[in-house]
Amino acid sequence: MKEIEVKILEVNRAKIEKTLGNLGAKKVFDGDIETLFFDFKEGTIIKQKNVLRLRKMQDKTELTYKKVHFTQTAKTAEEYSVDVSNLEAMEKILENLGLSVIESMQKHRVSYTLEDARFDFDHYSGNYGFIPEFL
C-alpha cells in the first residue's frame, strides 16, 4: 500500500468532525494505540529513514515496515503490514533476530474515512503527552 501523510497542527477538532460528518465521513476507529519501534544495534533501519513497528490497536496487532520518502509537502511511504496474533511473541521473535525496541509510544486515535482518504485525530500520552492533538 502507498501512504501519503500530512500532519496538521493546532486543529479545531469539533469543527473538523462536524464538517467531516456533513460530507458523509464515517467514524472507523476510536481507541488507544500502543506502538513499539524496532531497529538493529547499528541503526540500519533509522539511517535509511525507514520504520519497523509493532502496533496494537484494541484487539488487532500488526507488524509494519515503511519505506519512507520525503517531499517538500508530504511524507510518502511504501507500507507492508501483516496481522500478528500475539504482540509479546512477535516482539520476542524480532529480538531473537537481533532487533530491539528503540522507542515506544502510546496515543488515542479517532479515525474517519471519506472516499479514499482517512482522517486521524491523534493525542499522545506518556513521554509524548506534551504534543498537542493533531490531524
Side-chain angles (χ1 to χ4, degrees), residues 29 32 34 55-62 81-85 87:
F29 183 79
D32 294 326
E34 174 187 356
R55 179 163 72 180
K56 184 169 182 69
M57 304 181 308
Q58 294 173 331
D59 60 349
K60 180 180 178 182
T61 302
E62 66 182 10
S81 295
V82 293
D83 289 337
V84 176
S85 62
L87 183 135

Side-chain angles (χ1 to χ4, degrees), residues 89-118:
M90 188 72 239
E91 183 177 358
K92 291 295 179 198
I93 291 169
L94 294 171
E95 289 171 351
N96 280 288
L97 290 171
L99 293 136
S100 58
V101 175
I102 57 167
E103 192 167 8
S104 66
M105 293 180 166
Q106 298 79 34
K107 65 182 167 186
H108 186 85
R109 172 174 283 176
V110 178
S111 301
Y112 295 86
T113 57
L114 179 64
E115 298 176 14
D116 291 333
R118 181 177 169 127

Side-chain angles (χ1 to χ4, degrees), residues 4-6 8 11 13 16-17 19-21 23-30 108-122 133-135:
I4 301 171
E5 182 176 294
V6 177
I8 303 170
V11 297
R13 179 174 163 184
I16 295 170
E17 284 182 316
T19 301
L20 287 170
L23 293 170
K26 303 289 183 224
K27 186 187 278 190
V28 294
F29 183 79
D30 186 348
H108 186 85
R109 172 174 283 176
V110 178
S111 301
Y112 295 86
T113 57
L114 179 64
E115 298 176 14
D116 291 333
R118 181 177 169 127
F119 300 85
D120 296 321
F121 292 94
D122 285 342
E133 183 177 52
F134 62 91
L135 175 65

Side-chain angles (χ1 to χ4, degrees), residues 25-41:
K26 303 289 183 224
K27 186 187 278 190
V28 294
F29 183 79
D30 186 348
D32 294 326
I33 299 175
E34 174 187 356
T35 306
L36 302 173
F37 296 92
F38 290 84
D39 203 346
F40 296 99
K41 285 185 221 174

